Amino acid sequence: MNRKNGAEIFIECLLKEGVDTIFGFPGGAVLPIYDALYDSPLRHILVRHEQGAVHMADGYARALGKPGVVVVTSGPGATNTVTGIATAYMDSIPVVVFTGQVPTPLIGNDAFQEADIVGITRPCTKHNYLVKDIRDLPRIIKESFYIATTGRPGPVLVDIPKDVLTATLPDYKYPDKASIESYQPNYKGHPGQIRKALELILSSKRPVVYAGGGVVLSNAAAEMKAFSEKLGIPTTTTLMGLGAFPGTHPLFMGMLGMHGTYAANMAVMNTDCLIAVGARFDDRVTGKIDEFAPYAGIVHIDIDPTSISKNVKVDIPIVGDVRTVLKDLLKACPPAKEFKKGIQPWRDEVEGWSETHRLSYKQDPKGKIKPQFVIEKLYELTGGDAIITTEVGQNQMWRPVL
């Protein structure tokens, strides 16, 4: 009988899930995985620190739209992943982290390099698992990828004791699909709420679209552009939403918030209808909550029901996938010629703010190169196709003047 151990089953399950690359750092608790990995077609990126592995997997997921996969060992190997996991959690990035753990009989005995990584990461993962039986391993792997990539994406951690990796099974079946009774993401927006949203939007005189990272994650850039263009509504984005709307489009006002443009902030301050699409009303955007969009009726579209009215009370919530809801809004929206004509004075006012308060910088006459200049040249030389990796400091403000 052809028996396979947990590590071999683990590798086969990843391949069945379509994984082609993993980021990792070996250690005693996961050596069975590395033995099985040796003869597999999976590409392994060896890192120098486990935190780097999660950041790499995070970047892989952002760039390719596929879940990033990480394998690290127990104890300090697992705890070193926490910063990367927290980053992926805050930005809703699908990452699946597999950590080694001491054998199940030793859990809770302060064994060598034991850490309660499930407890440690509970606040910064979408979900996490401790595998206690090799027979549960295929199901848990299937569920971990399903949870990480559906609904509002996010990181999932799977902690695998060493004895689960060395145990054997005569046969196993990788599930065709995950079925979790307590987790049923809603993708379709409620028709009644969509109708109410359109009524509010079409009765407004100073509308603004406020797009967030949810538009990027939902691959809804085309629908976002079509919606803004059909109604002629000035559009702004969050930092995570950059790229969700063309930066050179005449309706684009630039980024909103503390590090945003004058035009975007003035427009939100004076709007009578704010359409928030896949955005979470972050404090860097809102500032003082009671002074944010003070005259606006607010429509909020988001797949995560816990994000709606969490920071800012909204008037018309629509829970659903951003791309699906925007398609339904476009389908339900009547011809907008008269509406666009009616909001032309508002568009003229917004364009005036953009013209009089353009983003700018002055190059040093002594020849010192400013970082804004570097970003601008990278944009020009690559036709806007460069992927630039940054941290979260001043580079938020180093946007090129287009």
Side-chain angles (χ1 to χ4, degrees):
M1 186 176 290
N2 183 23
R3 299 182 71 89
K4 294 182 178 178
N5 65 27
E8 292 167 331
I9 292 171
F10 172 82
I11 295 296
E12 288 184 2
C13 290
L14 292 191
L15 291 171
K16 288 175 181 177
E17 199 59 42
V19 175
D20 55 21
T21 303
I22 62 175
F23 304 86
F25 195 89
V30 290
L31 284 182
I33 288 178
Y34 279 84
D35 289 339
L37 181 64
Y38 186 79
D39 292 322
S40 86
L42 285 171
R43 180 174 65 149
H44 177 268
I45 307 297
L46 178 65
V47 301
R48 296 296 179 266
H49 190 279
E50 292 85 357
Q51 180 177 323
V54 188
H55 286 318
M56 288 181 186
D58 179 308
Y60 173 95
R62 292 176 197 248
L64 298 183
K66 299 168 60 176
V69 179
V70 176
V71 175
V72 299
T73 194
S74 63
T79 57
N80 281 345
T81 65
V82 173
T83 298
I85 292 171
T87 300
Y89 183 70
M90 289 301 297
D91 287 354
S92 305
I93 305 301
V95 174
V96 183
V97 179
F98 295 98
T99 56
Q101 183 55 276
V102 300
T104 48
L106 297 180
I107 293 175
N109 291 337
D110 295 327
F112 176 68
Q113 290 200 336
E114 178 192 359
D116 178 16
I117 194 62
V118 169
I120 290 168
T121 59
R122 191 165 284 123
C124 61
T125 52
K126 188 176 177 185
H127 192 61
N128 57 23
Y129 292 91
L130 171 62
V131 185
K132 297 178 182 179
D133 190 313
I134 186 175
R135 290 169 293 187
D136 295 329
L137 185 60
R139 172 185 59 81
I140 288 174
I141 291 175
K142 185 67 179 181
E143 288 181 4
S144 67
F145 279 92
Y146 174 67
I147 292 170
T149 57
T150 56
R152 179 180 178 179
V156 175
L157 182 137
V158 181
D159 198 27
I160 312 177
K162 189 170 184 179
D163 59 319
V164 172
L165 294 173
T166 56
T168 61
L169 273 180
D171 194 17
Y172 79 96
K173 184 180 185 303
Y174 191 63
D176 294 328
K177 62 179 182 178
S179 180
I180 306 171
E181 189 174 336
S182 59
Y183 176 68
Q184 302 289 334
N186 181 60
Y187 286 84
K188 187 78 172 172
H190 191 282
Q193 294 298 94
I194 289 173
R195 186 178 63 254
K196 288 179 184 177
L198 272 177
E199 288 172 359
L200 178 62
I201 294 166
L202 295 175
S203 66
S204 68
K205 297 297 181 185
R206 303 187 305 279
V208 167
V209 170
Y210 154 49
V215 180
V216 177
L217 292 169
S218 184
N219 293 315
E223 288 77 12
M224 184 75 268
K225 180 171 176 282
F227 177 77
S228 294
E229 286 180 340
K230 183 169 185 176
L231 295 172
I233 300 177
T235 300
T236 181
T237 71
T238 64
L239 180 65
M240 289 297 296
L242 289 172
F245 196 82
T248 54
H249 198 285
L251 289 173
F252 186 56
M253 299 181 288
M255 196 171 83
L256 176 66
M258 181 187 293
H259 304 308
T261 65
Y262 180 86
N265 284 296
M266 285 296 289
V268 169
M269 187 68 185
N270 290 278
T271 182
D272 62 353
C273 178
L274 184 67
I275 306 115
V277 186
R280 62 175 182 253
F281 294 91
D282 180 77
D283 63 289
R284 294 296 174 107
V285 164
T286 62
K288 288 184 180 179
I289 295 291
D290 57 354
E291 295 180 15
F292 179 76
Y295 313 112
I298 301 178
V299 176
H300 190 185
I301 305 166
D302 205 289
I303 199 165
D304 180 11
T306 67
S307 291
I308 293 178
S309 290
K310 180 179 181 180
N311 296 326
V312 172
K313 184 173 174 23
V314 304
D315 299 283
I316 303 174
I318 304 176
V319 178
D321 172 62
V322 163
R323 189 177 184 187
T324 303
V325 173
L326 284 174
K327 283 182 177 179
D328 288 344
L329 276 169
L330 283 164
K331 193 182 297 183
C333 187
K337 184 177 179 181
E338 288 303 313
F339 175 77
K340 290 170 81 170
K341 183 179 177 182
I343 65 167
Q344 188 59 51
W346 168 242
R347 286 179 56 179
D348 292 341
E349 189 173 8
V350 171
E351 287 172 14
W353 289 328
S354 295
E355 283 299 316
T356 56
H357 294 81
R358 292 179 61 84
L359 293 172
S360 63
Y361 69 92
K362 292 182 180 179
Q363 190 62 283
D364 192 311
K366 295 181 180 179
K368 292 180 182 178
I369 298 176
K370 288 201 169 184
Q372 295 94 323
F373 178 79
V374 174
I375 300 296
E376 189 172 9
K377 285 301 173 187
L378 279 171
Y379 179 88
E380 290 175 2
L381 293 170
T382 63
D385 291 335
I387 296 173
I388 303 172
T389 303
T390 68
E391 44 85 46
V392 294
Q394 280 192 338
N395 52 66
Q396 290 183 53
M397 287 72 79
W398 295 343
R399 298 181 300 279
V401 181
L402 301 177

